Amino acid sequence: NERELSAALNSRKIDIASGITPERAKNLTGNNMTIVSYRLPRIFGLFMNKSQNPIFNDTAVVSAVKNGIDKQALVNNVLLGYGIPIDRPIPEVFTHTVEEISAPQNPNEILDKAGWKSGNDGVRVKTDSKTKTASVLQFSISTADSPELIATANGIKHDLEAIGFSIEIKTFSLGDLNQDAIRTRDYDALLFGELVNDTGSLYAFWHSSEVSDPGLNVAQYKSTVVDKSFSDLFTASDAPSCLSALSRIDYDIGKNAPVAFLYSPLYLEARRKPELEHNSVTSII
């Protein structure tokens, strides 16, 4: 385990330890250690479920969630700086899309313009002009009970409640999250990580045929552009055609899917610095 790994480093039984947590990396920094980081094809996001909570049918609400989360603060506070904020579904190891998805917007202005008004408790409410029924700007976040994900959920809660949302956090063991929430699509919003190590896994996460179990399209996003781009991707005969299809998938999902992409954590490795002998000369022949 990681505690024993760290002890072995400190006792000089080993020189390199891989897969350590950000907190452990910070503790080892400066202790004659060098921390080396690697980018992995792993992304985390908040996936909003329109069929479970109707407020996400309002594009202004989805946009406010995307713009209301301070991703850099999550990287700094949860990952201790060992991560990269993201706004796209495809890790950069696959594609280097440079087209900007959208300029940052003020989430309060988005909600004000869409008719979401703050109540006495600070939570926004919107009244339908025809039915006179009121909708409350509230939803729950379902996630696994790991320290990193709980801290991320609390960071999201802090940011969104500051602009008029009411957020509840629901935590599950990993097995229960998969069985009781993901498979049944029983969540308002799912804080979830995806490992995109090939185009097959990308298909499972985003093709419209994968919106129901056992598919993993947890955003339940359906797009003819994305589906057509997957067909182009799988029939492409050269690298430029593959990259073009990936870029279309990347852009469409990043812009239109009900997902707030958050960050990609870095894979960390601690290496002991070589110790030099003082007052001696080593010859290499």
Side-chain angles (χ1 to χ4, degrees):
N1 60 43
E2 192 181 35
R3 181 185 58 79
E4 294 171 338
L5 199 63
S6 180
L9 271 173
N10 290 327
S11 63
R12 305 178 187 275
K13 292 181 179 179
I14 60 174
D15 296 311
I16 300 175
S18 298
I20 60 175
T21 62
E23 183 177 7
R24 189 74 65 181
K26 287 292 185 184
N27 291 335
L28 290 171
T29 300
N31 188 24
N32 202 32
M33 296 286 178
T34 298
I35 304 300
V36 181
S37 63
Y38 304 91
R39 297 196 67 165
L40 291 177
R42 195 173 177 210
I43 63 106
F44 282 80
L46 184 69
F47 299 80
M48 293 164 262
N49 187 352
K50 295 180 179 181
S51 62
Q52 182 79 4
N53 192 324
I55 66 169
F56 297 129
N57 287 303
D58 188 337
T59 57
V61 172
V62 174
S63 181
V65 171
K66 290 182 177 184
N67 285 274
I69 299 171
D70 189 339
K71 300 174 186 180
Q72 188 61 58
L74 292 178
V75 169
N76 294 341
N77 298 330
V78 177
L79 302 179
L80 305 183
Y82 295 113
I84 300 166
I86 60 171
D87 60 2
R88 299 173 184 274
I90 304 181
E92 286 189 10
V93 294
F94 285 103
T95 182
H96 296 279
T97 305
V98 295
E99 185 177 1
E100 185 179 28
I101 288 178
S102 61
Q105 302 175 60
N106 186 308
N108 280 305
E109 292 179 0
I110 294 170
L111 293 170
D112 288 341
K113 187 176 180 180
W116 291 92
K117 302 182 183 301
S118 294
N120 294 331
D121 57 358
V123 178
R124 291 178 182 263
V125 177
K126 183 176 182 178
T127 302
D128 187 287
S129 59
K130 294 181 180 179
T131 64
K132 305 302 180 182
T133 57
S135 299
V136 181
L137 201 61
Q138 63 184 11
F139 67 92
S140 62
I141 298 173
S142 298
T143 194
D145 58 357
S146 75
E148 181 181 296
L149 289 174
I150 292 172
T152 298
N154 279 306
I156 294 171
K157 176 182 172 72
H158 172 271
D159 291 344
L160 295 185
E161 289 191 338
I163 60 173
F165 282 84
S166 175
I167 307 294
E168 178 189 5
I169 298 173
K170 298 180 178 180
T171 59
F172 302 79
S173 69
L174 189 58
D176 287 344
L177 181 69
N178 182 60
Q179 187 68 28
D180 299 335
I182 295 176
R183 292 191 65 181
T184 60
R185 304 297 194 255
D186 185 15
Y187 48 82
D188 288 353
L190 178 69
L191 177 56
F192 185 65
E194 297 181 344
L195 181 62
V196 186
N197 44 23
D198 54 34
T199 53
S201 60
L202 188 65
Y203 180 95
F205 291 133
W206 293 110
H207 195 272
S208 63
S209 65
E210 304 296 306
V211 296
S212 300
D213 183 65
L216 288 174
N217 186 342
V218 292
Q220 300 185 73
Y221 182 58
K222 297 180 180 181
S223 166
T224 56
V225 173
V226 171
D227 289 354
K228 174 63 166 58
S229 297
F230 271 118
S231 297
D232 294 342
L233 176 64
F234 295 140
T235 58
S237 58
D238 55 72
S241 297
C242 287
L243 287 174
S244 176
L246 283 171
S247 294
R248 292 196 303 275
I249 294 168
D250 198 38
Y251 179 81
D252 183 88
I253 295 170
K255 184 175 179 62
N256 300 315
V259 184
F261 294 101
L262 302 172
Y263 55 70
S264 286
L266 297 174
Y267 185 79
L268 304 178
E269 181 177 275
R271 298 180 180 178
R272 178 170 295 284
K273 296 177 182 177
E275 297 184 11
L276 301 177
E277 294 283 344
H278 294 287
N279 303 318
S280 64
V281 176
T282 301
S283 299
I284 300 177
I285 301 175

